[in-house]
Amino acid sequence: MHVADSKVSGRIGSFLRPACAGRPVILWARTLLAGHVLITAVSISLGWWLVPVLTSLVPLYGSWLFFLCNNTQHVGLQDNVPDFRLCCRTFTVNPLVGFIYWHMNYHTEHHMYAAVPCYNLGALHRAIRHELPPTPHGLRATWREIAKILKIQNTQPGYQHIARLPQTTSSSVHA
């Protein structure tokens, strides 16, 4: 709303100004605002109250889930390592949360095999889970694991968690 009203100063303005000219950003914000107003007006006039709830109001009720899921992906794990199993985190959730989050809870698999569509990441996880670190189930277990890492990082700022990888034998390694 601030950008659509040409109020791109302060914290928002300092973020936007270096990356782009102000006018195109303001026009884009106004276009988005007009689109959401149009969706809401047409939907309400047709009695389709669920349409604006599912399109325009998502940031109001969905941002908490995005925060809880998205901030788990790399926090506390190693930086600058070639093995995605050490710098990404996979966790399992119920099917509804997985669907809403586009199955990105399978984040390690997403990085290892970026061409796999999101709806196939669960099957990929089941196929390669024997090669992955232990996978916590649910957001509570995942955040408990992260809290332990962050507690260590409070006293040892350079600490990076090294995930426990399964032992591989020569017969399980493919050429």
Side-chain angles (χ1 to χ4, degrees):
M1 294 290 273
H2 288 287
V3 178
D5 196 25
S6 303
K7 294 178 182 172
V8 286
S9 60
R11 202 176 88 217
I12 294 172
S14 65
F15 174 73
L16 293 175
R17 294 234 193 274
C20 58
R23 188 93 177 119
V25 172
I26 292 167
L27 289 174
W28 179 245
R30 288 178 179 168
T31 303
L32 286 177
L33 182 60
H36 285 290
V37 168
L38 183 65
I39 288 170
T40 302
V42 169
S43 299
I44 289 173
S45 71
L46 295 173
W48 298 342
W49 61 270
L50 193 57
V51 173
V53 169
L54 295 176
T55 57
S56 298
L57 299 178
V58 170
L60 295 176
Y61 64 82
S63 58
W64 64 272
L65 182 62
F66 180 76
F67 174 86
L68 288 175
C69 291
N70 199 56
N71 289 336
T72 63
Q73 295 175 351
H74 301 278
V75 68
L77 301 176
Q78 292 185 291
D79 294 331
N80 302 318
V81 291
D83 190 340
F84 291 121
R85 300 174 301 168
L86 299 173
C87 65
C88 301
R89 179 178 285 106
T90 285
F91 59 97
T92 58
V93 290
N94 69 57
L96 178 63
V97 172
F99 175 76
I100 292 170
Y101 190 49
W102 286 50
H103 307 285
M104 284 296 119
N105 51 298
Y106 299 110
H107 202 66
T108 305
E109 297 81 351
H110 163 69
H111 277 274
M112 291 173 72
Y113 300 96
V116 173
C118 67
Y119 52 83
N120 285 335
L121 289 172
L124 175 62
H125 172 77
R126 290 185 293 280
I128 66 169
R129 77 173 121 208
H130 63 280
E131 299 176 16
L132 299 172
T135 304
H137 178 68
L139 287 169
R140 184 177 292 145
T142 304
W143 278 101
R144 249 190 250 127
E145 179 182 290
I146 292 169
K148 290 176 189 174
I149 295 168
L150 294 178
K151 187 175 181 180
I152 295 170
Q153 287 181 338
N154 273 339
T155 58
Q156 302 172 36
Y159 174 77
Q160 294 182 341
H161 178 70
I162 301 172
R164 190 170 37 100
L165 297 177
Q167 295 290 332
T168 57
T169 62
S170 59
S171 62
S172 66
V173 176
H174 302 287

